[in-house]
Amino acid sequence: MKKVHNFYAGPSILPEFTYQETIKAIENFAGTGLSIMSISHRSKQFEATLNEATGLFKKLLNIPDGYSVLFLGGGASLQFAMIPFNLMIKKAMYLDTGTWSNKAIKEAKLFGDVEVISSKDKNYSYVPKGFSIPSDADYFHFTSNNTIAGTEIKHDFDSPIPMIADMSSDIFSRPVDVSKYAMIYGGAQKNLGPAGVTFVIIKDDILGKTDRKIPTMLNYQIHIDKGSMFNTPPAMNIFATLQTLKWIDQQGGVEVMQKMNIEKAQILYDAIDNSKLFVVKVDNVEDRSLMNITFVMKEEYKNLEADFLAFASEKGMLGVKGHRSVGGFRASTYNALPKESVIALVETMKEFEKSI
Ligand SMILES: *Cc1c(COP(=O)(O)O)cnc(C)c1O
């Protein structure tokens, strides 16, 4: 098999440790002689897995007391609806920085007034700055990393009202001050585990303020009370997620992840900035994502985009095509992507440039 490099945006690369440990657990989970696929989620072995995953979430992100960690189904997309269902009384504020924020806003509008600050005017190529968060809204929602547009908010805002972030594609990529948030959530399949498990970090005291009747499965309080076991959780995916958390811990935690991510992204951004063919799509350097690096060919070389994709794929660079809604290229440089893969992509870009 030829050497391949995985730049897919999601589902995406996970640590080799995660794959190997999950393979073992599929054969024989925790010495039970049974597969992780085939053992009760009420077994003490699975309960230990869930507890360990919750504990590592709290340790690695320094989550203060008063917060719960949930592992649910439905993807980040179900959270788009669960958030207003549980938390909106009258009005919320959303920062619209791309496709995913936009989808979250659409759901919120079903439940009340939504005030929006957007960067849609320039195709989401920047992150809005200098806006104020209204103190009369029930919560403020933003997407920290815009997986499709390639922008990222790499700091924690100060918000006068409960703050909620979709961190699907940059969770565990840097330290986060969880105490500033009412809730942080995301699908696991970008930086954490296989698709099918959604993590929610939620401050317990933000719940119970709406009179709305909430269906059981959509009610955060139920999931908190039942410890993510109201119904059968995605057990194997939680097991795999736990392996990634262990790997992050072994590497030295989120500070080490951040240092490696900055270094990897810098190598690729420098190569693009110094190339005669390629150009980064994001307007401001400080808004550039460290997780999803989006770029295109300069106007005069636009006709070479398909050729480059074919060349890159021939060289084993997989998943470099931009999202179907925006085109161009996207290289995802998540925690588990080794620096060697970034260097290999840069070499491929240089080789292509020489060949034309
Ligand atoms: C991928 C992604 C989603 C959608 O996640 P699903 O788990 O597929 O619902 C939402 N938000 C962001 C930022 C994403 O990258």
Side-chain angles (χ1 to χ4, degrees):
M1 219 161 68
K2 87 173 167 189
K3 172 89 184 142
V4 291
H5 300 273
N6 186 353
F7 297 97
Y8 276 106
S12 34
I13 188 166
L14 295 171
E16 194 52 38
F17 179 78
T18 301
Y19 302 132
Q20 293 311 325
E21 293 303 306
T22 306
I23 289 167
K24 284 187 219 158
I26 287 172
E27 288 180 347
N28 179 4
F29 169 54
T32 56
L34 299 177
S35 170
I36 177 74
M37 287 185 206
S38 311
I39 187 166
S40 169
H41 58 295
R42 309 270 173 206
S43 65
K44 68 174 192 299
Q45 291 84 355
F46 182 72
E47 230 165 274
T49 298
L50 190 61
N51 287 339
E52 201 178 353
T54 306
L56 271 177
F57 247 81
K58 291 189 172 172
K59 176 187 169 191
L60 292 169
L61 290 176
N62 220 343
I63 301 177
D65 288 344
Y67 287 78
S68 297
V69 177
L70 304 175
F71 297 98
L72 307 174
S77 299
L78 183 59
Q79 297 306 309
F80 296 164
M82 276 175 75
I83 289 163
F85 214 140
N86 284 263
L87 299 171
M88 195 185 307
I89 300 163
K90 262 183 92 136
K91 176 173 128 175
M93 178 185 167
Y94 278 68
L95 198 60
D96 174 26
T97 51
T99 308
W100 298 114
S101 331
N102 212 272
K103 291 190 175 186
I105 291 166
K106 185 168 169 240
E107 301 302 303
K109 283 184 173 165
L110 300 172
F111 297 91
D113 296 335
V114 183
E115 200 174 310
V116 178
I117 302 280
S118 178
S119 55
K120 201 172 190 165
D121 58 337
K122 288 171 85 186
N123 258 330
Y124 298 123
S125 59
Y126 69 102
V127 172
K129 311 232 162 52
F131 56 88
S132 56
I133 302 168
S135 54
D136 65 337
D138 302 316
Y139 63 85
F140 163 56
H141 178 283
F142 72 100
T143 314
S144 55
N145 183 64
N146 298 285
T147 324
I148 296 175
T151 63
E152 186 176 9
I153 297 162
K154 302 183 206 84
H155 60 275
D156 308 308
F157 290 110
D158 289 304
S159 168
I161 54 175
M163 179 161 79
I164 301 177
D166 174 356
M167 294 198 184
S168 291
S169 50
D170 63 349
I171 189 74
F172 292 107
S173 71
R174 63 170 172 92
V176 171
D177 182 353
V178 177
S179 71
K180 288 188 171 180
Y181 294 82
M183 180 175 153
I184 296 171
Y185 69 98
Q189 72 273 22
K190 310 288 163 59
N191 213 11
L192 205 50
V197 57
T198 311
F199 67 86
V200 172
I201 302 165
I202 187 163
K203 195 169 186 214
D204 300 325
D205 69 10
I206 62 165
L207 295 168
K209 304 206 166 120
T210 159
D211 299 331
R212 192 176 290 124
K213 289 197 177 11
I214 305 170
T216 314
M217 269 298 282
L218 303 185
N219 190 332
Y220 290 121
Q221 194 61 57
I222 299 284
H223 292 297
I224 292 172
D225 294 346
K226 300 288 179 186
S228 300
M229 296 257 242
F230 169 73
N231 71 327
T232 319
M236 190 174 73
N237 301 353
I238 294 172
F239 178 89
T241 297
L242 169 60
Q243 308 317 307
T244 306
L245 296 171
K246 285 184 179 174
W247 176 81
I248 295 170
D249 198 27
Q250 286 158 10
Q251 302 297 304
V254 284
E255 284 83 5
V256 173
M257 292 296 122
Q258 182 182 39
K259 199 168 150 263
M260 291 180 353
N261 291 330
I262 290 173
E263 190 188 350
K264 286 182 291 181
Q266 196 63 50
I267 294 171
L268 189 48
Y269 280 123
D270 279 350
I272 300 167
D273 289 341
N274 292 318
S275 118
K276 87 173 184 222
L277 297 180
F278 302 98
V279 60
V280 175
K281 282 178 69 170
V282 176
D283 297 350
N284 311 312
V285 170
E286 75 268 22
D287 294 342
R288 288 176 172 186
S289 172
L290 299 181
M291 298 277 97
N292 310 100
I293 297 171
T294 52
F295 54 107
V296 291
M297 286 214 159
K298 291 180 180 164
E299 258 335 298
E300 59 271 38
Y301 298 107
K302 271 271 184 254
N303 59 334
L304 293 176
E305 287 200 347
D307 291 349
F308 174 68
L309 279 176
F311 185 83
S313 139
E314 180 58 34
K315 299 276 173 192
M317 308 295 137
L318 306 184
V320 182
K321 195 172 195 285
H323 189 267
R324 59 195 145 70
S325 65
V326 293
F329 314 109
R330 170 174 58 180
S332 298
T333 51
Y334 295 120
N335 284 351
L337 185 86
K339 188 164 104 181
E340 296 72 63
S341 289
V342 176
I343 294 170
L345 177 59
V346 167
E347 285 309 314
T348 301
M349 291 162 70
K350 285 188 180 151
E351 253 184 77
F352 182 76
E353 197 164 315
K354 259 193 236 144
S355 78
I356 59 156

